[in-house]
Amino acid sequence: MTKSDPSGRSSERAASQLRRLEQSLLDSAVRHDGDRLRQLLAEDFLEFGSSGRIWTRKSIIEMLACETSFQPPAIEEFQVNFLAEKVALVTYRTVRTEPKTGERLVCSLRSSIWVRHEGEWRMRFHQGTRTT
């Protein structure tokens, strides 16, 4: 679901692009690519992780470079709301399931603030909150 941007222009293309960008951050190849992460994350990026830890752009890139056993979760209930012409709030739920049984193991509510700068979307803030 997407709400139109403040100027009234269609936002479907931007919402689709933001979904692809969020999904790319769940891709192991992207997560291990420091250059790509520096393109996607704003210099002043900040994350409040589902563990309660606070991550900066530098610390998250360093952590992801060492990540060895990441299994990407499914994305559900994806929504984009434009807060301003070049600012979007993205919210969704991630779900990790047991591959053999399909049982839902871990669910998290996710929110990101993306800012369009020089024609490119960059994530400025992200938060994950574990839920049932």
Side-chain angles (χ1 to χ4, degrees):
M1 177 174 199
T2 304
K3 295 189 178 176
S4 54
D5 63 47
S7 66
R9 292 186 303 261
S10 171
S11 59
E12 292 303 315
R13 186 174 67 224
S16 178
Q17 183 180 19
L18 289 165
R19 183 176 181 115
R20 284 192 305 274
L21 291 171
E22 287 280 357
Q23 286 177 309
S24 76
L25 289 167
L26 298 175
D27 180 295
S28 291
V30 172
R31 294 167 76 86
H32 288 103
D33 184 342
D35 290 335
R36 181 64 180 137
L37 290 171
R38 279 184 280 284
Q39 290 173 344
L40 291 170
L41 304 178
E43 289 183 27
D44 58 350
F45 171 81
L46 186 67
E47 176 175 341
F48 296 154
S50 60
S51 66
R53 182 165 177 183
I54 297 173
W55 301 90
T56 63
R57 179 184 189 213
K58 182 179 186 281
S59 65
I60 198 74
I61 290 172
E62 289 172 354
M63 185 277 292
L64 292 174
C66 301
E67 189 176 60
T68 58
S69 62
F70 179 75
Q71 293 295 321
I75 291 178
E76 298 178 350
E77 302 172 30
F78 189 88
Q79 294 188 17
V80 177
N81 290 286
F82 289 91
L83 305 177
E85 186 175 349
K86 297 180 180 182
V87 181
L89 171 64
V90 173
T91 58
Y92 57 98
R93 178 184 306 269
T94 55
V95 180
R96 296 184 190 280
T97 58
E98 166 57 47
K100 293 180 182 176
T101 65
E103 178 185 359
R104 295 165 79 93
L105 300 175
V106 178
C107 297
S108 296
L109 298 175
R110 302 284 176 168
S111 60
S112 305
I113 296 177
W114 289 84
V115 177
R116 193 164 179 84
H117 179 72
E118 297 179 357
E120 299 294 326
W121 287 105
R122 301 183 87 192
M123 186 185 285
R124 178 124 185 239
F125 175 80
H126 184 76
Q127 179 169 353
T129 304
R130 289 199 179 166
T131 185
T132 54

